[in-house]
Amino acid sequence: MEEESIKLNENPVKHEFEAEEFQNENKKTFNWAEFLACVSVATTNLHTGFALGFSAILIPQLEKYNDEMGKISNSQSSWIASSISIAAPFGCLFIAFTLDRIGRISTFKISLWPCFIGWMLIALAFNPKIIIIGRLLTGFAMSVGTNSANVYMAEISSPKLRGSMMSIGSVMLSFGILLMYCTGLYLHWRIVAWIAFVGAFFPVIMTAFWTPESPVWLIHKGQDVKALKSLAYLKNSKYCAGSVQETFNEMKSIKEKKDLLINKEMEKSNVFRRIAWHLSKPTVFKPALFMVVFFVLQQFTGIYTFQFHAVKMLHEVAQGIDIKFATLLFGLFRFLLSFVATGMLHNYGRRPLCMISGIIMGITLFISGLCFYLRTNGDESIIMTWISLLCMLLYISAGSVGIMLIPWILPSEMFPTEVKGLLIGPIMAWCNAVMFVAVHFYGDLKRILGGMLGILWFYSFISILTVFFVWVFIPETHKMKLFEIEDYFKDNTIFLLRKKKTVKKEQLCV
């Protein structure tokens, strides 16, 4: 494990390499090797979408058709919806031990087995407890697969394409949710579970052909021959400014310079001591603190709670409209907007997308709550119902291109390369733990706030609070080199008070 990042003036080889890459970036043709590698690991988000969307169609069916399972209680419904969020933190902690030890792709492939077993258990379940066990396994697989895929994509993607490559997973996830809605509203939930089981084979097929191990990790582990083969495959990616051998030599030199700064004694200590030691550095504890707060705000904007309880929430918010139609419309909007998000992440910064997303979410939730309030006080016009539905569609659309997506990308960009495998797991574990609280205690929060009106206005307030947090603290990472992001955290905490630092081209090649 590397212990400290190289300072700007101590890493001339790295800067020369990245400067050359920057100059040649526009001359490169489209890199199909990099694209296929990213798409292959991004397919794991299909079963993530299956897991997120399945509870929205499963719970209404179990409540309506109780001849197989008996009548399920509100507590059982809550556990079925939130159980994937319970297992997800354990999956995130698992990758903290495996990403650096066995590699990015090997960790990814481990996630596929509990996914198969989980969906099989759900499809064959004869009581709610078996469903919950299956959901726990799919939640574990979801967190291991998506997080290892994000680290892998961040390492093999060029800075210019990093955002759009990593957002491919959002397209896959949205399609998975839409497929669950389309099939689950018309087919029995067991058939839907078998569809999800078959869909889980896509990552197996894709990664068998197009995913060499990350060259960064291979060089870090001293597997030079394999690293050269991986670089040869990813010939037009960020690693190749010149021939494969020259690129390999440059990366090897960077690794050797960083090795000089490694604390060998700390390297041999247990994982918890290493995490604590790294968190003493500003380049690590600042992004870690920001992500801890950001994920709490994200979950309590309601954007993921809505995914788990879409049918029930739409039934309350859009009374009088065919729920099947509303749910399918919601899933379709989510899917189409994921393509828009991919394009926007390629062209626009993380900060403006997050802030615009949060503002629209806050306004639409407030208006939807206002319409709900007017309806409960006697205004039964169909206009109010349609305005509420439109606002909820705008809410999920805005969330899909900003607050729902970007926080998952930022850790892979903001953490130094040498601590990604160690710290992304615990950070994502925290996020999934907060997600469990937000989803599992949705009903309790709703009662405390006085019903759906209180929920809508609470989520509206948190959305606006999230905008303020991003505006003040979150730095822009779009099209920035990873060393530039790391350098920012050495001297800055509050983005609005940042030290504006310019680096001349001549300095990069010194």
Side-chain angles (χ1 to χ4, degrees):
M1 180 63 62
E2 300 159 322
E3 297 300 323
E4 189 171 342
S5 303
I6 304 299
K7 295 181 180 178
L8 186 59
N9 59 1
E10 293 176 338
N11 198 359
V13 178
K14 180 175 182 178
H15 297 158
E16 183 177 359
F17 167 58
E18 293 198 359
E20 185 178 352
E21 174 202 6
F22 182 76
Q23 293 167 1
N24 294 331
E25 197 171 61
N26 294 326
K27 300 179 182 178
K28 297 176 183 177
T29 58
F30 186 77
N31 186 350
W32 284 102
E34 180 183 303
F35 175 75
L36 288 172
C38 289
V39 169
S40 297
V41 294
T43 52
T44 190
N45 286 275
L46 276 175
H47 74 75
T48 300
F50 296 158
L52 292 175
F54 187 66
S55 64
I57 60 95
L58 171 65
I59 294 172
Q61 285 199 33
L62 291 178
E63 291 175 344
K64 184 178 180 181
Y65 307 110
N66 54 33
D67 52 326
E68 294 180 84
M69 299 265 183
K71 186 173 179 59
I72 65 171
S73 64
N74 290 333
S75 176
Q76 288 174 323
S77 295
S78 180
W79 279 106
I80 289 172
S82 62
S83 51
I84 66 168
S85 301
I86 302 172
F90 294 99
C92 294
L93 293 175
F94 174 78
I95 68 172
F97 292 91
T98 59
L99 273 180
D100 284 336
R101 283 175 171 79
I102 66 174
R104 283 43 167 155
I105 290 300
S106 297
T107 299
F108 176 85
K109 290 180 177 179
I110 288 175
S111 73
L112 303 175
W113 291 102
C115 180
F116 294 137
I117 297 170
W119 283 113
M120 185 181 295
L121 286 175
I122 293 170
L124 298 173
F126 52 85
N127 65 51
K129 292 181 180 178
I130 302 298
I131 294 178
I132 292 171
I133 292 172
R135 296 273 290 168
L136 289 170
L137 288 170
T138 56
F140 179 86
M142 174 185 78
S143 61
V144 174
T146 54
N147 289 307
S148 56
N150 283 343
V151 172
Y152 178 76
M153 287 188 283
E155 290 184 347
I156 71 167
S157 300
S158 61
K160 186 177 180 181
L161 297 176
R162 190 169 58 232
S164 53
M165 287 294 101
M166 293 180 70
S167 67
I168 292 172
S170 177
V171 176
M172 301 286 185
L173 185 147
S174 300
F175 179 73
I177 292 174
L178 178 61
L179 184 61
M180 290 295 99
Y181 290 167
C182 290
T183 55
L185 291 173
Y186 298 97
L187 301 175
H188 193 277
W189 62 267
R190 290 189 188 277
I191 298 175
V192 178
W194 284 118
I195 292 173
F197 174 80
V198 173
F201 279 94
F202 278 101
V204 177
I205 298 170
M206 297 285 282
T207 55
F209 296 101
W210 294 304
T211 54
E213 183 55 84
S214 165
V216 172
W217 181 82
L218 290 170
I219 289 175
H220 174 69
K221 290 297 180 181
Q223 300 181 32
D224 294 355
V225 175
K226 291 183 179 179
L228 277 168
K229 289 181 180 178
S230 183
L231 284 169
Y233 179 82
L234 298 165
K235 187 173 181 180
N236 292 321
S237 75
K238 63 180 277 188
Y239 304 111
C240 282
S243 70
V244 170
Q245 186 63 52
E246 288 174 353
T247 305
F248 172 81
N249 292 339
E250 289 170 337
M251 295 176 67
K252 188 77 172 175
S253 177
I254 293 168
K255 196 260 182 186
E256 289 170 354
K257 285 178 178 291
K258 285 196 170 187
D259 282 347
L260 297 175
L261 300 177
I262 291 177
N263 184 322
K264 299 296 184 181
E265 183 179 346
M266 186 59 65
E267 179 71 12
K268 296 176 182 178
S269 62
N270 64 58
V271 65
F272 300 105
R273 283 193 64 196
R274 295 206 308 274
I275 289 175
W277 189 86
H278 281 296
L279 285 174
S280 66
K281 297 182 289 185
T283 54
V284 178
F285 78 75
K286 289 178 184 178
L289 180 60
F290 290 159
M291 294 316 304
V292 164
V293 176
F294 201 179
F295 277 126
V296 171
L297 293 172
Q298 179 203 48
Q299 294 303 322
F300 283 98
T301 61
I303 197 73
Y304 276 95
T305 304
F306 193 84
Q307 300 281 353
F308 288 95
H309 296 286
V311 175
K312 295 175 73 174
M313 292 181 73
L314 284 173
H315 181 71
E316 289 191 67
V317 173
Q319 291 178 353
I321 292 178
D322 184 355
I323 292 304
K324 287 186 177 182
F325 167 77
T327 305
L328 288 176
L329 195 62
F330 158 68
L332 184 61
F333 261 63
R334 174 80 172 81
F335 178 56
L336 294 177
L337 263 294
S338 64
F339 287 97
V340 176
T342 301
M344 294 182 77
L345 279 168
H346 179 67
N347 294 298
Y348 301 101
R350 315 293 190 247
R351 280 170 53 81
L353 286 178
C354 271
M355 289 189 286
I356 293 171
S357 169
I359 291 170
I360 295 174
M361 289 167 65
I363 292 173
T364 53
L365 284 169
F366 180 81
I367 295 174
S368 186
L370 186 61
C371 292
F372 186 87
Y373 173 78
L374 293 173
R375 285 207 317 273
T376 55
N377 283 274
D379 188 345
E380 298 293 340
S381 65
I382 192 66
I383 295 176
M384 289 296 163
T385 301
W386 277 100
I387 290 176
S388 293
L389 178 60
L390 178 61
C391 284
M392 294 307 292
L393 289 173
L394 288 173
Y395 160 72
I396 197 64
S397 300
S400 298
V401 298
I403 287 177
M404 176 180 279
L405 174 62
I406 290 174
W408 298 99
I409 295 175
L410 288 177
S412 294
E413 293 185 323
M414 294 201 302
F415 282 125
T417 301
E418 62 269 20
V419 300
K420 282 179 184 175
L422 193 63
L423 286 176
I424 283 181
I427 289 294
M428 293 305 179
W430 166 256
C431 174
N432 283 282
V434 177
M435 185 190 296
F436 165 72
V437 172
V439 174
H440 184 71
F441 294 103
Y442 162 73
D444 298 307
L445 181 63
K446 183 178 171 183
R447 283 190 295 273
I448 292 171
L449 296 174
M452 182 56 69
L453 177 63
I455 279 286
L456 292 172
W457 283 353
F458 174 76
Y459 289 160
S460 174
F461 169 75
I462 298 298
S463 297
I464 299 300
L465 185 61
T466 304
V467 173
F468 178 78
F469 175 77
V470 172
W471 180 55
V472 175
F473 293 106
I474 300 299
E476 184 56 74
T477 61
H478 180 52
K479 293 185 180 179
M480 288 182 67
K481 307 291 190 300
L482 297 181
F483 86 88
E484 293 175 329
I485 300 170
E486 182 180 338
D487 196 51
Y488 165 86
F489 284 112
K490 291 177 183 176
D491 304 312
N492 301 279
T493 302
I494 299 175
F495 183 77
L496 294 179
L497 303 177
R498 69 192 182 282
K499 298 175 184 177
K500 296 185 178 180
K501 196 172 182 181
T502 58
V503 180
K504 296 180 180 179
K505 289 183 179 179
E506 303 87 60
Q507 291 175 297
L508 291 176
C509 298
V510 173

